[in-house]
Amino acid sequence: MEKYRIMIIEDNPKNMKIMVDLMQVHGYETITAEDGMSGLETALKEKPDLILMDVQLPGIDGYEVTRRLKGKDATRDIPVVVVTSFAMKGEEARAKEVGAAGYISKPIDIHKLMDTVAEHLPGKDEQY
Ligand code: MN
């Protein structure tokens, strides 16, 4: 069976490494981008199974990238999980508003992250 491909859009190298390692340890393939615009372009090209989306990114932010992905037929159905360091009220609502499937906050809780990823992967029922 083919591995799920998880795309990580994150500009902080440390956070990127943590998430890449975590995904790979759990048997997922990873695709990465370090800013909003290349994230958008790479997602359109690669069509990953799920995207982990940092909010604060150089160029266009993660909410705007999500909004644009949701506006295109090719990428509309890819679940996006927003990862934000803003521990503020309203961030979850904002994530929903742009069409994100889920939301987690930094510092990342590993179990919560993996549960959220598994929960939103397409066709997870057939996996078992
Ligand atoms: Mn960031």
Side-chain angles (χ1 to χ4, degrees), residues 13-37:
K14 238 188 217 170
N15 288 340
M16 176 67 95
K17 186 178 179 348
I18 289 168
M19 289 201 277
V20 165
D21 289 350
L22 262 176
M23 294 305 135
Q24 291 182 353
V25 157
H26 285 82
Y28 300 127
E29 276 182 20
T30 52
I31 301 161
T32 61
E34 279 119 55
D35 65 78
M37 199 47 85

PDB file of all heavy atoms in Angstrom, residues 13-37:
ATOM      1  N   PRO A  13      13.146  26.208  10.943  1.00  0.00           N
ATOM      2  CA  PRO A  13      13.846  24.939  10.652  1.00  0.00           C
ATOM      3  C   PRO A  13      13.721  23.902  11.767  1.00  0.00           C
ATOM      4  O   PRO A  13      13.622  22.708  11.488  1.00  0.00           O
ATOM      5  CB  PRO A  13      15.311  25.363  10.487  1.00  0.00           C
ATOM      6  CG  PRO A  13      15.285  26.832  10.240  1.00  0.00           C
ATOM      7  CD  PRO A  13      14.048  27.372  10.894  1.00  0.00           C
ATOM      8  N   LYS A  14      13.720  24.361  13.013  1.00  0.00           N
ATOM      9  CA  LYS A  14      13.612  23.433  14.140  1.00  0.00           C
ATOM     10  C   LYS A  14      12.255  22.743  14.145  1.00  0.00           C
ATOM     11  O   LYS A  14      12.160  21.524  14.277  1.00  0.00           O
ATOM     12  CB  LYS A  14      13.790  24.209  15.453  1.00  0.00           C
ATOM     13  CG  LYS A  14      14.933  23.694  16.314  1.00  0.00           C
ATOM     14  CD  LYS A  14      14.891  24.389  17.658  1.00  0.00           C
ATOM     15  CE  LYS A  14      16.289  24.678  18.159  1.00  0.00           C
ATOM     16  NZ  LYS A  14      16.285  25.551  19.346  1.00  0.00           N
ATOM     17  N   ASN A  15      11.211  23.556  14.016  1.00  0.00           N
ATOM     18  CA  ASN A  15       9.854  22.985  13.978  1.00  0.00           C
ATOM     19  C   ASN A  15       9.678  22.079  12.772  1.00  0.00           C
ATOM     20  O   ASN A  15       9.033  21.033  12.859  1.00  0.00           O
ATOM     21  CB  ASN A  15       8.803  24.094  13.918  1.00  0.00           C
ATOM     22  CG  ASN A  15       8.683  24.834  15.228  1.00  0.00           C
ATOM     23  OD1 ASN A  15       9.075  24.330  16.279  1.00  0.00           O
ATOM     24  ND2 ASN A  15       8.157  26.044  15.169  1.00  0.00           N
ATOM     25  N   MET A  16      10.257  22.493  11.670  1.00  0.00           N
ATOM     26  CA  MET A  16      10.162  21.686  10.449  1.00  0.00           C
ATOM     27  C   MET A  16      10.772  20.306  10.678  1.00  0.00           C
ATOM     28  O   MET A  16      10.180  19.282  10.359  1.00  0.00           O
ATOM     29  CB  MET A  16      10.869  22.396   9.289  1.00  0.00           C
ATOM     30  CG  MET A  16      10.907  21.591   8.013  1.00  0.00           C
ATOM     31  SD  MET A  16       9.277  21.351   7.285  1.00  0.00           S
ATOM     32  CE  MET A  16       9.259  22.721   6.112  1.00  0.00           C
ATOM     33  N   LYS A  17      11.961  20.293  11.263  1.00  0.00           N
ATOM     34  CA  LYS A  17      12.655  19.018  11.495  1.00  0.00           C
ATOM     35  C   LYS A  17      11.847  18.105  12.421  1.00  0.00           C
ATOM     36  O   LYS A  17      11.713  16.914  12.168  1.00  0.00           O
ATOM     37  CB  LYS A  17      14.056  19.255  12.056  1.00  0.00           C
ATOM     38  CG  LYS A  17      14.834  17.943  12.155  1.00  0.00           C
ATOM     39  CD  LYS A  17      16.230  18.127  12.658  1.00  0.00           C
ATOM     40  CE  LYS A  17      17.033  16.828  12.781  1.00  0.00           C
ATOM     41  NZ  LYS A  17      16.327  15.568  12.667  1.00  0.00           N
ATOM     42  N   ILE A  18      11.311  18.696  13.481  1.00  0.00           N
ATOM     43  CA  ILE A  18      10.513  17.923  14.431  1.00  0.00           C
ATOM     44  C   ILE A  18       9.329  17.267  13.716  1.00  0.00           C
ATOM     45  O   ILE A  18       9.064  16.070  13.867  1.00  0.00           O
ATOM     46  CB  ILE A  18       9.997  18.819  15.583  1.00  0.00           C
ATOM     47  CG1 ILE A  18      11.153  19.217  16.506  1.00  0.00           C
ATOM     48  CG2 ILE A  18       8.901  18.108  16.386  1.00  0.00           C
ATOM     49  CD1 ILE A  18      10.806  20.330  17.490  1.00  0.00           C
ATOM     50  N   MET A  19       8.632  18.051  12.900  1.00  0.00           N
ATOM     51  CA  MET A  19       7.438  17.524  12.246  1.00  0.00           C
ATOM     52  C   MET A  19       7.782  16.507  11.153  1.00  0.00           C
ATOM     53  O   MET A  19       7.109  15.486  11.027  1.00  0.00           O
ATOM     54  CB  MET A  19       6.580  18.667  11.718  1.00  0.00           C
ATOM     55  CG  MET A  19       5.924  19.412  12.872  1.00  0.00           C
ATOM     56  SD  MET A  19       4.475  20.342  12.394  1.00  0.00           S
ATOM     57  CE  MET A  19       5.267  21.806  11.792  1.00  0.00           C
ATOM     58  N   VAL A  20       8.839  16.788  10.402  1.00  0.00           N
ATOM     59  CA  VAL A  20       9.271  15.825   9.371  1.00  0.00           C
ATOM     60  C   VAL A  20       9.640  14.493  10.029  1.00  0.00           C
ATOM     61  O   VAL A  20       9.190  13.426   9.609  1.00  0.00           O
ATOM     62  CB  VAL A  20      10.461  16.386   8.552  1.00  0.00           C
ATOM     63  CG1 VAL A  20      11.144  15.283   7.753  1.00  0.00           C
ATOM     64  CG2 VAL A  20       9.994  17.495   7.612  1.00  0.00           C
ATOM     65  N   ASP A  21      10.449  14.565  11.083  1.00  0.00           N
ATOM     66  CA  ASP A  21      10.860  13.338  11.782  1.00  0.00           C
ATOM     67  C   ASP A  21       9.656  12.571  12.313  1.00  0.00           C
ATOM     68  O   ASP A  21       9.563  11.354  12.166  1.00  0.00           O
ATOM     69  CB  ASP A  21      11.818  13.673  12.932  1.00  0.00           C
ATOM     70  CG  ASP A  21      13.192  14.111  12.435  1.00  0.00           C
ATOM     71  OD1 ASP A  21      13.458  13.979  11.221  1.00  0.00           O
ATOM     72  OD2 ASP A  21      13.997  14.596  13.255  1.00  0.00           O
ATOM     73  N   LEU A  22       8.747  13.305  12.930  1.00  0.00           N
ATOM     74  CA  LEU A  22       7.550  12.681  13.499  1.00  0.00           C
ATOM     75  C   LEU A  22       6.719  11.965  12.434  1.00  0.00           C
ATOM     76  O   LEU A  22       6.279  10.831  12.633  1.00  0.00           O
ATOM     77  CB  LEU A  22       6.661  13.759  14.122  1.00  0.00           C
ATOM     78  CG  LEU A  22       6.750  13.974  15.621  1.00  0.00           C
ATOM     79  CD1 LEU A  22       5.865  15.153  15.997  1.00  0.00           C
ATOM     80  CD2 LEU A  22       6.352  12.728  16.382  1.00  0.00           C
ATOM     81  N   MET A  23       6.512  12.640  11.327  1.00  0.00           N
ATOM     82  CA  MET A  23       5.697  12.052  10.266  1.00  0.00           C
ATOM     83  C   MET A  23       6.376  10.807   9.697  1.00  0.00           C
ATOM     84  O   MET A  23       5.736   9.783   9.473  1.00  0.00           O
ATOM     85  CB  MET A  23       5.436  13.072   9.144  1.00  0.00           C
ATOM     86  CG  MET A  23       4.590  14.258   9.557  1.00  0.00           C
ATOM     87  SD  MET A  23       3.007  13.792  10.278  1.00  0.00           S
ATOM     88  CE  MET A  23       2.978  14.885  11.700  1.00  0.00           C
ATOM     89  N   GLN A  24       7.686  10.904   9.502  1.00  0.00           N
ATOM     90  CA  GLN A  24       8.406   9.772   8.911  1.00  0.00           C
ATOM     91  C   GLN A  24       8.445   8.579   9.866  1.00  0.00           C
ATOM     92  O   GLN A  24       8.279   7.438   9.438  1.00  0.00           O
ATOM     93  CB  GLN A  24       9.803  10.214   8.481  1.00  0.00           C
ATOM     94  CG  GLN A  24       9.721  11.184   7.294  1.00  0.00           C
ATOM     95  CD  GLN A  24      11.071  11.628   6.767  1.00  0.00           C
ATOM     96  OE1 GLN A  24      12.112  11.329   7.353  1.00  0.00           O
ATOM     97  NE2 GLN A  24      11.063  12.372   5.665  1.00  0.00           N
ATOM     98  N   VAL A  25       8.625   8.858  11.133  1.00  0.00           N
ATOM     99  CA  VAL A  25       8.622   7.791  12.140  1.00  0.00           C
ATOM    100  C   VAL A  25       7.276   7.052  12.131  1.00  0.00           C
ATOM    101  O   VAL A  25       7.205   5.849  12.352  1.00  0.00           O
ATOM    102  CB  VAL A  25       8.929   8.372  13.551  1.00  0.00           C
ATOM    103  CG1 VAL A  25       8.409   7.467  14.657  1.00  0.00           C
ATOM    104  CG2 VAL A  25      10.415   8.595  13.718  1.00  0.00           C
ATOM    105  N   HIS A  26       6.211   7.802  11.842  1.00  0.00           N
ATOM    106  CA  HIS A  26       4.878   7.200  11.815  1.00  0.00           C
ATOM    107  C   HIS A  26       4.522   6.638  10.439  1.00  0.00           C
ATOM    108  O   HIS A  26       3.371   6.299  10.178  1.00  0.00           O
ATOM    109  CB  HIS A  26       3.836   8.221  12.277  1.00  0.00           C
ATOM    110  CG  HIS A  26       3.867   8.443  13.762  1.00  0.00           C
ATOM    111  ND1 HIS A  26       4.776   9.285  14.363  1.00  0.00           N
ATOM    112  CD2 HIS A  26       3.139   7.899  14.769  1.00  0.00           C
ATOM    113  CE1 HIS A  26       4.587   9.263  15.669  1.00  0.00           C
ATOM    114  NE2 HIS A  26       3.609   8.437  15.940  1.00  0.00           N
ATOM    115  N   GLY A  27       5.502   6.572   9.564  1.00  0.00           N
ATOM    116  CA  GLY A  27       5.283   5.888   8.280  1.00  0.00           C
ATOM    117  C   GLY A  27       4.717   6.755   7.166  1.00  0.00           C
ATOM    118  O   GLY A  27       4.297   6.231   6.137  1.00  0.00           O
ATOM    119  N   TYR A  28       4.725   8.058   7.355  1.00  0.00           N
ATOM    120  CA  TYR A  28       4.236   8.947   6.303  1.00  0.00           C
ATOM    121  C   TYR A  28       5.405   9.486   5.485  1.00  0.00           C
ATOM    122  O   TYR A  28       6.494   9.685   6.003  1.00  0.00           O
ATOM    123  CB  TYR A  28       3.476  10.143   6.904  1.00  0.00           C
ATOM    124  CG  TYR A  28       2.276   9.780   7.736  1.00  0.00           C
ATOM    125  CD1 TYR A  28       2.142  10.268   9.038  1.00  0.00           C
ATOM    126  CD2 TYR A  28       1.274   8.958   7.236  1.00  0.00           C
ATOM    127  CE1 TYR A  28       1.029   9.945   9.815  1.00  0.00           C
ATOM    128  CE2 TYR A  28       0.164   8.629   8.013  1.00  0.00           C
ATOM    129  CZ  TYR A  28       0.049   9.135   9.303  1.00  0.00           C
ATOM    130  OH  TYR A  28      -1.047   8.807  10.056  1.00  0.00           O
ATOM    131  N   GLU A  29       5.130   9.750   4.215  1.00  0.00           N
ATOM    132  CA  GLU A  29       6.111  10.464   3.399  1.00  0.00           C
ATOM    133  C   GLU A  29       5.916  11.954   3.626  1.00  0.00           C
ATOM    134  O   GLU A  29       4.807  12.395   3.920  1.00  0.00           O
ATOM    135  CB  GLU A  29       5.902  10.144   1.912  1.00  0.00           C
ATOM    136  CG  GLU A  29       6.578   8.867   1.497  1.00  0.00           C
ATOM    137  CD  GLU A  29       6.410   8.580   0.008  1.00  0.00           C
ATOM    138  OE1 GLU A  29       6.109   9.499  -0.766  1.00  0.00           O
ATOM    139  OE2 GLU A  29       6.581   7.409  -0.337  1.00  0.00           O
ATOM    140  N   THR A  30       6.985  12.732   3.456  1.00  0.00           N
ATOM    141  CA  THR A  30       6.852  14.171   3.694  1.00  0.00           C
ATOM    142  C   THR A  30       7.263  14.976   2.463  1.00  0.00           C
ATOM    143  O   THR A  30       8.142  14.591   1.699  1.00  0.00           O
ATOM    144  CB  THR A  30       7.722  14.618   4.899  1.00  0.00           C
ATOM    145  OG1 THR A  30       9.058  14.166   4.701  1.00  0.00           O
ATOM    146  CG2 THR A  30       7.179  14.062   6.198  1.00  0.00           C
ATOM    147  N   ILE A  31       6.567  16.102   2.318  1.00  0.00           N
ATOM    148  CA  ILE A  31       6.872  17.107   1.305  1.00  0.00           C
ATOM    149  C   ILE A  31       6.950  18.410   2.090  1.00  0.00           C
ATOM    150  O   ILE A  31       6.130  18.630   2.978  1.00  0.00           O
ATOM    151  CB  ILE A  31       5.723  17.191   0.264  1.00  0.00           C
ATOM    152  CG1 ILE A  31       5.514  15.842  -0.418  1.00  0.00           C
ATOM    153  CG2 ILE A  31       5.981  18.301  -0.747  1.00  0.00           C
ATOM    154  CD1 ILE A  31       4.155  15.715  -1.091  1.00  0.00           C
ATOM    155  N   THR A  32       7.934  19.263   1.779  1.00  0.00           N
ATOM    156  CA  THR A  32       8.080  20.458   2.606  1.00  0.00           C
ATOM    157  C   THR A  32       8.121  21.741   1.774  1.00  0.00           C
ATOM    158  O   THR A  32       8.490  21.736   0.609  1.00  0.00           O
ATOM    159  CB  THR A  32       9.385  20.394   3.447  1.00  0.00           C
ATOM    160  OG1 THR A  32      10.510  20.324   2.567  1.00  0.00           O
ATOM    161  CG2 THR A  32       9.390  19.181   4.358  1.00  0.00           C
ATOM    162  N   ALA A  33       7.742  22.834   2.427  1.00  0.00           N
ATOM    163  CA  ALA A  33       7.894  24.175   1.858  1.00  0.00           C
ATOM    164  C   ALA A  33       8.101  25.137   3.011  1.00  0.00           C
ATOM    165  O   ALA A  33       7.569  24.932   4.105  1.00  0.00           O
ATOM    166  CB  ALA A  33       6.670  24.557   1.040  1.00  0.00           C
ATOM    167  N   GLU A  34       8.896  26.183   2.755  1.00  0.00           N
ATOM    168  CA  GLU A  34       9.270  27.089   3.840  1.00  0.00           C
ATOM    169  C   GLU A  34       8.621  28.471   3.783  1.00  0.00           C
ATOM    170  O   GLU A  34       8.880  29.305   4.641  1.00  0.00           O
ATOM    171  CB  GLU A  34      10.784  27.244   3.865  1.00  0.00           C
ATOM    172  CG  GLU A  34      11.481  26.090   4.577  1.00  0.00           C
ATOM    173  CD  GLU A  34      12.434  25.342   3.662  1.00  0.00           C
ATOM    174  OE1 GLU A  34      13.317  25.993   3.083  1.00  0.00           O
ATOM    175  OE2 GLU A  34      12.285  24.121   3.517  1.00  0.00           O
ATOM    176  N   ASP A  35       7.829  28.711   2.769  1.00  0.00           N
ATOM    177  CA  ASP A  35       7.086  29.977   2.750  1.00  0.00           C
ATOM    178  C   ASP A  35       5.745  29.769   2.062  1.00  0.00           C
ATOM    179  O   ASP A  35       5.505  28.715   1.457  1.00  0.00           O
ATOM    180  CB  ASP A  35       7.895  31.082   2.045  1.00  0.00           C
ATOM    181  CG  ASP A  35       8.107  30.787   0.583  1.00  0.00           C
ATOM    182  OD1 ASP A  35       7.166  30.994  -0.210  1.00  0.00           O
ATOM    183  OD2 ASP A  35       9.209  30.306   0.227  1.00  0.00           O
ATOM    184  N   GLY A  36       4.886  30.767   2.183  1.00  0.00           N
ATOM    185  CA  GLY A  36       3.514  30.622   1.711  1.00  0.00           C
ATOM    186  C   GLY A  36       3.397  30.372   0.224  1.00  0.00           C
ATOM    187  O   GLY A  36       2.659  29.482  -0.217  1.00  0.00           O
ATOM    188  N   MET A  37       4.118  31.163  -0.564  1.00  0.00           N
ATOM    189  CA  MET A  37       3.950  31.057  -2.008  1.00  0.00           C
ATOM    190  C   MET A  37       4.474  29.732  -2.550  1.00  0.00           C
ATOM    191  O   MET A  37       3.811  29.085  -3.361  1.00  0.00           O
ATOM    192  CB  MET A  37       4.650  32.243  -2.693  1.00  0.00           C
ATOM    193  CG  MET A  37       4.177  32.490  -4.110  1.00  0.00           C
ATOM    194  SD  MET A  37       2.370  32.489  -4.318  1.00  0.00           S
ATOM    195  CE  MET A  37       1.988  34.192  -3.895  1.00  0.00           C
TER     196      MET A  37
END
